[in-house]
Amino acid sequence: MDLATFLIQCLNSLQYGLLLFLVASGLTLIFGIMGVINLAHGSFYMIGAYMAYALAPVVASTFGGGFFATLFVGLVLAVVLGYVLEWAFFSFLYEREHLQQVLMTYGLILVFEELRSLIVGDDVYGVQPPDWLAGTIPLGEVMTYPVYRLFISGVCLALAAGMWAVFTRTRLGMMIRAGSTNREMVQSLGIDIKFLYRVVFAAGVAIAVLAGMVAAPVSSVYPGMGNQVLIICFVVVVIGGIGSIRGALLAALLIGVVDTFGKVVFPQAAGVLVYVLMALILLWKPDGLFKAG
Amino acid sequence: MSFTRHALAAAALAATVAAPAALAQGQPPLKVGLMLPATGTFAALGTAIENGFKQHVAEQGGKLGGREIQYFKVDDESDPAKATDNVNKLIKRDNVDVIVGTVHSGVALAMARAVKESKTMLIVPNAGADAITGPLCAPNIIRSSFSNWQPGYATGVMAAQKGYKKAMTITWNYAAGLETVKGFTEAFEKGGGKVTKDLNLPFPGVEFQALLTEIAAQKPDVVFAFFAGGGAVKFVKDYDAAGLKKSIPLMGSGFLTDGTLDAQGASAQGLLTSLHYADGLNTPRDNAFRNKYAVTYKMQPDVYAVQGYDAAQILAGGLSAVKGDFGKREAMVAAMRKMTVDSPRGKYTLSAAHNPVQDFYVREAKGRENVMTGVAVKVLPDPARGCKM
């Protein structure tokens, strides 16, 4: 592998890893702060991708907007969806056992899949990136790199930075962190913990939906895509350490590298390398790379 | 008196002439079970197969070999996990004589195993899994389509003839893809080339970026791809977008561009593929078939419609030979083996393992058609490795 190829594969790894982090961060947020195992998280990613496909023509005909208008409308819908779901279902789950959480959220997966099938059908759809992001930039002699993938990396990095800032630098972040360790204490200080949880949950949903929308042009839109991404997201959360955003970022980037180079260097074993990585890390650190705290 | 005698003579004559027909008339309708995808990614393919089958039945006046046809339908959802239950609905509940199905290889393998036990006749109108006419072959299993090895092999011959020496292959990591690639490699290396690397990714993933980078880095003379449906659309577009189409020619089995050209647009133009059917064959047989299909179903036929049509033709050939008497199974299968199927794709026969021995065309993507520009391999038999029959 020459240097140019190596560097491009590094870019590919980074882009995949960052996107994975974006989906997984919502999962680890909800798990780490509220203690809810949310199997339906992959469905939010799928909903995002289908939104990118189905919403674009609606947005274009109603507001005359393009790609970013669609992203914006999709985000607003996602926040509403997250808020309503938390109110209707998840707020009852905090005190329940993990088994009951798993059953409930698995039920939600089935509901979302059926709704998806009813509304948009079971076909595979392609989504076009906006024209000005559709090109490639040359790297080396025959190599090129798609501009849109740089855009994805940019969006993911910006969001990661934003999340870090909110958690460590704001009063809201402080309250959320406090609420995750001692719910009663925070409540007795006069903070509306229920509302706080609802906001965190809606944010987690919105991030997953955004990831799905941004990923749609490079991943296509197909039935069952949510469950595929869910599995790998749980791997990210487990490797990174449950509830640790920093751990999720590192784990996602590691998986990006292993998956990308694995596909190319050991094509026959590509499917299992990520799980081998998980097993090795858990042998070394049974709680994952970083423990939340 | 003479009236009675004449009448008797006439009646006797009529009886001898009409005897086979009368026998067939007296039999109950033949129960045909259609196990095809009616929902999901392959729904359109299932519809085309059913349309083709029914078109031939209609051309025969609603009967095959003198027998009325009664249909039983099951949606297989292209789900291997449900395949055994679904096929048993037809075998045990509906007690069908013949099953026609299906598209997905994994489902078809489960069907083949089920009919091996029950001895129900199975005609496979698409699924290419090599095992169906390989280790799983049986007297009551017949394929009207192809084996995965075949189009791969034909494309390998094409690539070797073009003088390419170094090839890379790329496909999903599942039976249809791996078997097609195996066929390609066999022919390409026999023709003096060398496959330097097989790339694959999990089905039905479409994250090709890392693999396209690898192709660009290795600069082979040619790339062989097996993808179908939405994945094929994405791959051909990504290949073009990565700037590879200009520098490294892409070839594929015909499924890369069949039914996907509309969506692939300019990215697919000029791609060479190989399959046992093509647009613009322009034979009287194919033209008649296409016209009738277009008029009846208000859409253009494709390779799937042809395979469904041929499933009915093969069944008709066998049934006619035994005058509709489905009880004479051995004679019926022997007739199917001997028959020449007058298919819209061109005439072909069945191999000892019951797989079509057929021509594979060179097809070039032009506009919205995969136009026939030549023949890659004439009368290509499937090697049927592992078939003991």
Side-chain angles (χ1 to χ4, degrees), chain B residues 260-338:
Chain B
T260 53
L261 279 177
D262 260 357
Q264 284 160 341
S267 296
Q269 293 307 304
L271 282 194
L272 292 181
T273 59
S274 185
L275 201 67
H276 49 286
Y277 192 60
D279 296 309
L281 290 181
N282 203 22
T283 58
R285 182 75 182 96
D286 189 42
N287 291 342
F289 166 78
R290 293 182 78 100
N291 288 335
K292 194 164 231 171
Y293 191 96
V295 169
T296 314
Y297 302 110
K298 313 279 177 259
M299 57 178 163
Q300 287 300 313
D302 51 20
V303 66
Y304 305 102
V306 172
Q307 293 168 169
Y309 185 83
D310 285 355
Q313 288 211 84
I314 292 170
L315 180 60
L319 272 176
S320 312
V322 294
K323 311 217 165 19
D325 184 359
F326 199 74
K328 295 179 180 163
R329 284 282 288 277
E330 279 185 24
M332 186 173 80
V333 171
M336 289 172 168
R337 275 191 188 192
K338 258 181 265 165

Side-chain angles (χ1 to χ4, degrees), chain A residues 1 5 8-9 12 15 122-124 128 136 142-146 149 217-220 222 228 260 263-265 267-268, chain B residues 39-41 197-201 203-207 209-211 213-214 216-217 219 230 234 237 241-243 247:
Chain A
M1 197 179 289
T5 318
I8 293 180
Q9 294 294 23
N12 289 335
Q15 181 258 311
D122 295 329
D123 278 341
V124 179
Q128 289 302 316
T136 53
V142 261
M143 308 286 211
T144 57
Y145 199 78
R149 284 174 191 270
V218 300
S219 75
S220 282
Y222 55 92
Q228 279 191 328
T260 303
K263 266 179 181 169
V264 176
V265 183
Q268 267 61 39
Chain B
T39 54
T41 317
K197 193 161 193 176
D198 294 318
L199 298 171
N200 55 52
L201 69 167
F203 178 82
V206 289
E207 245 308 17
Q209 178 63 20
L211 304 176
T213 303
E214 178 67 7
K219 302 187 196 72
K234 177 89 181 355
K237 291 185 102 163
S247 49

Side-chain angles (χ1 to χ4, degrees), chain A residues 15-270:
Chain A
Q15 181 258 311
Y16 177 58
L18 284 171
L19 185 65
L20 208 52
F21 165 71
L22 205 54
V23 195
S25 59
L27 189 68
T28 200
L29 211 65
I30 292 166
F31 201 179
I33 291 171
M34 296 173 242
V36 175
I37 298 183
N38 178 21
L39 293 187
H41 195 71
S43 302
F44 301 141
Y45 173 79
M46 176 194 75
I47 289 170
Y50 274 89
M51 273 185 181
Y53 165 73
L55 214 54
V58 181
V59 171
S61 64
T62 342
F63 309 107
F67 182 73
F68 285 97
T70 309
L71 280 190
F72 180 75
V73 174
L75 264 181
V76 171
L77 289 176
V79 170
V80 174
L81 174 76
Y83 198 84
V84 171
L85 280 176
E86 205 276 349
W87 170 77
F89 300 107
F90 286 85
S91 55
F92 300 104
L93 287 179
Y94 303 138
E95 308 300 324
R96 301 297 181 96
E97 290 168 20
H98 280 168
L99 177 66
Q100 285 168 314
Q101 297 174 351
V102 165
L103 284 175
M104 161 78 107
T105 53
Y106 181 70
L108 283 176
I109 294 184
L110 299 180
V111 171
F112 285 132
E113 282 288 331
E114 279 305 310
L115 284 176
R116 189 251 326 130
S117 181
L118 276 174
I119 298 168
V120 273
D122 295 329
D123 278 341
V124 179
Y125 301 107
V127 175
Q128 289 302 316
D131 285 342
W132 59 278
L133 286 175
T136 53
I137 46 169
L139 291 169
E141 277 175 67
V142 261
M143 308 286 211
T144 57
Y145 199 78
V147 176
Y148 188 76
R149 284 174 191 270
L150 292 176
F151 167 76
I152 293 182
S153 301
V155 170
C156 295
L157 275 175
L159 262 153
M163 282 168 72
W164 175 80
V166 167
F167 267 88
T168 56
R169 293 282 182 271
T170 67
R171 200 179 138 73
L172 177 70
M174 192 185 71
M175 289 191 291
I176 293 171
R177 280 182 293 144
S180 71
T181 31
N182 198 330
R183 200 181 148 101
E184 285 74 25
M185 176 63 84
V186 173
Q187 205 154 15
S188 65
L189 289 174
I191 294 162
D192 187 348
I193 193 84
K194 277 187 178 171
F195 177 73
L196 202 60
Y197 271 29
R198 213 156 276 174
V199 169
V200 173
F201 188 83
V205 173
I207 294 171
V209 166
L210 179 72
M213 293 181 80
V214 170
V218 300
S219 75
S220 282
V221 180
Y222 55 92
M225 64 188 296
N227 298 341
Q228 279 191 328
V229 85
L230 179 74
I231 295 168
I232 195 81
C233 280
F234 267 108
V235 176
V236 170
V237 171
V238 168
I239 292 182
I242 289 161
S244 164
I245 296 282
R246 187 170 46 154
L249 179 61
L250 190 63
L253 291 176
L254 258 176
I255 289 174
V257 170
V258 167
D259 187 80
T260 303
F261 283 90
K263 266 179 181 169
V264 176
V265 183
F266 307 107
Q268 267 61 39

